[in-house]
Amino acid sequence: MKIGIMQPYFFPYIGYWQLMNAVDKYVIYDDVNYINRGWINRNRILVNGKPHYFNISILKASQNKKINQIEINKSKRLQEKNLRMIEYSYAKAPYFKEIYPLIKKVLQSEEVILPKYIHNSFLVFCDYLNIETDFVYSSELKKDNSKKGQEKIISICELLNANEYYNPIGGQQLYSAELFQSKNISLKFLKPNSIIYKQFGEDFQDNLSIIDVMMFNSREEVLNLLKQYTLV
């Protein structure tokens, strides 16, 4: 059993999706503190050839709150503003007609709680891409919440009978392979390969939201890009 554990990110970049696609079970880490100016409720899209932040409005956000204690601002005006931004930015992209309705479905979701809203976006895109990874909320696991850092990650792995744990390459310094191995869990880090695809003829802008990837690539091409990584 391979598992990944990450905070829920809003329309995350392709490396996040590579991790999600590579594991059998994906834990939505929703009972840790919200991070201001992170990737939980915002990401970047291509606007006039340059990266531009695109976010969902949230209510009473605070780093003293758990992610699952934060609610979405359901303002129809803000929903329409975001949809207009997507349409303005990508109307001429080759796969706009296929992807825009999916984004609209996500943004018009009735979910109010932030991680559930983001989880819904995962399900919508996973359905399109035929990704069959199982999802579970960390808040629903009967784990020892007094544990911190990698000890807490290991406890989640043990609860889910995982023998492999995948983490993004950026977290290498946070984990000890020896400690995981002592628990009979293989620790692996996922490093995305260099991914380049044709955008609008401008200089390529990397690490944008999965929205950008899907607007410029067919379903088959996206699935191929999801496999472009190295495990270390």
Side-chain angles (χ1 to χ4, degrees), residues 1-229:
M1 168 75 76
K2 300 187 289 288
I3 75 165
I5 304 171
M6 283 286 289
Q7 297 99 328
Y9 287 175
F10 178 60
F11 287 128
Y13 87 121
I14 194 167
Y16 190 108
W17 282 86
Q18 288 176 330
L19 181 66
M20 192 186 301
N21 186 53
V23 298
D24 302 304
K25 194 177 292 288
Y26 198 82
V27 179
I28 297 173
Y29 212 14
D30 66 325
D31 54 351
V32 292
N33 284 28
Y34 172 79
I35 300 172
N36 285 325
R37 301 184 68 78
W39 300 107
I40 295 171
N41 67 301
R42 69 174 185 169
N43 219 290
R44 301 182 308 155
I45 59 172
L46 195 66
V47 177
N48 295 325
K50 302 296 181 183
H52 182 85
Y53 281 105
F54 168 68
N55 68 284
I56 41 173
S57 177
I58 52 180
L59 302 173
K60 300 178 181 179
S62 168
Q63 294 194 149
N64 296 318
K65 287 184 177 180
K66 305 298 184 189
I67 297 171
N68 59 13
Q69 295 174 323
I70 295 177
E71 295 186 1
I72 299 291
N73 181 347
K74 301 300 291 182
S75 164
K76 295 293 185 183
R77 181 183 63 81
L78 292 175
Q79 282 183 14
E80 291 303 317
K81 179 182 177 182
N82 278 336
L83 286 170
R84 286 196 302 271
M85 182 187 300
I86 293 293
E87 185 172 10
Y88 169 79
S89 301
Y90 291 105
K92 295 182 180 179
Y95 297 96
F96 175 81
K97 289 183 179 179
E98 290 92 336
I99 303 307
Y100 181 77
L102 303 182
I103 298 169
K104 187 173 183 179
K105 183 177 181 179
V106 168
L107 295 181
Q108 294 181 342
S109 166
E110 293 302 316
E111 293 289 356
V112 174
I113 303 302
L114 179 58
K116 291 186 176 182
Y117 182 91
I118 295 175
H119 180 206
N120 178 68
S121 73
F122 293 166
L123 294 177
V124 170
F125 277 27
C126 282
D127 182 63
Y128 173 80
L129 294 169
N130 297 318
I131 294 174
E132 297 181 348
T133 303
D134 290 329
F135 294 94
V136 61
Y137 292 103
S138 60
S139 59
E140 295 179 354
L141 298 174
K142 295 181 179 179
K143 58 190 182 302
D144 182 354
N145 287 311
S146 68
K147 292 184 176 180
K148 305 294 181 183
Q150 62 180 341
E151 294 283 357
K152 193 171 184 180
I153 297 297
I154 288 171
S155 71
I156 292 173
C157 290
E158 291 177 327
L159 280 171
L160 297 176
N161 298 313
N163 56 9
E164 293 183 75
Y165 172 64
Y166 285 19
N167 197 81
I169 191 70
Q172 257 184 318
Q173 303 304 316
L174 303 176
Y175 298 97
S176 163
E178 291 76 14
L179 181 59
F180 276 77
Q181 196 59 54
S182 72
K183 304 293 184 179
N184 297 314
I185 302 168
S186 176
L187 173 64
K188 296 181 179 179
F189 294 94
L190 188 149
K191 180 181 181 181
N193 296 347
S194 177
I195 291 175
I196 298 176
Y197 49 87
K198 183 175 176 57
Q199 291 169 324
F200 282 127
E202 306 287 343
D203 292 337
F204 182 72
Q205 303 294 333
D206 62 357
N207 293 330
L208 300 182
S209 165
I210 191 68
I211 290 173
D212 191 79
V213 178
M214 294 175 70
M215 285 291 185
F216 293 108
N217 294 277
S218 69
R219 186 197 323 255
E220 293 72 24
E221 288 168 334
V222 175
L223 288 170
N224 181 59
L225 291 175
L226 290 179
K227 300 173 184 176
Q228 303 303 310
Y229 62 82

